[in-house]
Amino acid sequence: SQQGEEDPQALSIQEGENATMNCSYKTSINNLQWYRQNSGRGLVHLILIRSNEREKHSGRLRVTLDTSKKSSSLLITASRAADTASYFCATGGRNTGNQFYFGTGTSLTVIP
Amino acid sequence: EPEVTQTPSHQVTQMGQEVILRCVPISNHLYFYWYRQILGQKVEFLVSFYNNEISEKSEIFDDQFSVERPDGSNFTLKIRSTKLEDSAMYFCASSESMAGITDTQYFGPGTRLTVL
């Protein structure tokens, strides 16, 4: 299976702290994307990192990709209560065309 | 900002009934997808659609499921005879190009299907 797996499964931090979530996957990928899902709602695309990129920034988000370790991390700096959500990584593989494989997600709680 | 829309937001049906879930992808996108998420579980790929035909499908997407682009804007998922285990949130997504290779998929807000 190519599915990404995030860890930790749950993370609780104080507002203002940084949150780091990790994702591991099993096979070669073309790109990796991070999504956010608020409880019972749809998936919001956060950031895409391609297999030839090592780091990418978007506002308070920083994503790294280590293809040798088949892992990625998502860092949210200066967290806010509104960042409370589940965060998923999704991998698009070299041999899977349009299929995305989602991980189980990290549930982030930011305490005001 | 353009967005993917889905209707209805919640569908309740009796087991054995047919349901059609509707999606309007972003207008200039060419690739369309359906995913489902059973409560508390992973988001699972069902099917991708390009150029008026299915390009890929998962094991979940059996003969009970079908997809269609009946006109230039809508993309539908039909479940012919619903089962209890079909209860889930169904997400539609679209991308400008092949998402697994280079492009981002944009998701709709989902339709919650409840089969009684």
Side-chain angles (χ1 to χ4, degrees), chain B residues 11 22 25 29 39 42 44-45 49 55 60 68 76 83 85 92 96 99 106 116:
Chain B
Q11 174 87 48
R22 303 180 192 281
H29 286 185
L39 186 64
K42 295 184 182 186
E44 300 172 292
F45 171 81
F49 191 86
S55 52
I60 302 168
E68 192 178 31
T76 62
K83 305 169 189 169
E85 54 264 37
C92 173
E96 195 168 346
Y106 293 90
L116 303 176

Side-chain angles (χ1 to χ4, degrees), chain B residues 2-33:
Chain B
E3 57 182 17
V4 176
T5 59
Q6 291 184 241
T7 55
S9 57
H10 191 190
Q11 174 87 48
V12 180
T13 190
Q14 295 289 328
M15 191 170 56
Q17 295 295 306
E18 175 183 285
V19 294
I20 297 176
L21 310 183
R22 303 180 192 281
C23 168
V24 179
I26 295 173
S27 62
N28 65 330
H29 286 185
L30 301 177
Y31 292 81
F32 315 114
Y33 317 85

Side-chain angles (χ1 to χ4, degrees), chain A residues 5 35 37 50 96-98, chain B residues 37 42 56 98 100 102 105:
Chain A
E5 297 293 336
Y35 288 83
Q37 184 181 35
R50 293 186 168 82
T96 58
N98 294 310
Chain B
Q37 184 180 32
K42 295 184 182 186
E56 292 176 79
M98 190 178 286
T102 60
Q105 291 186 22

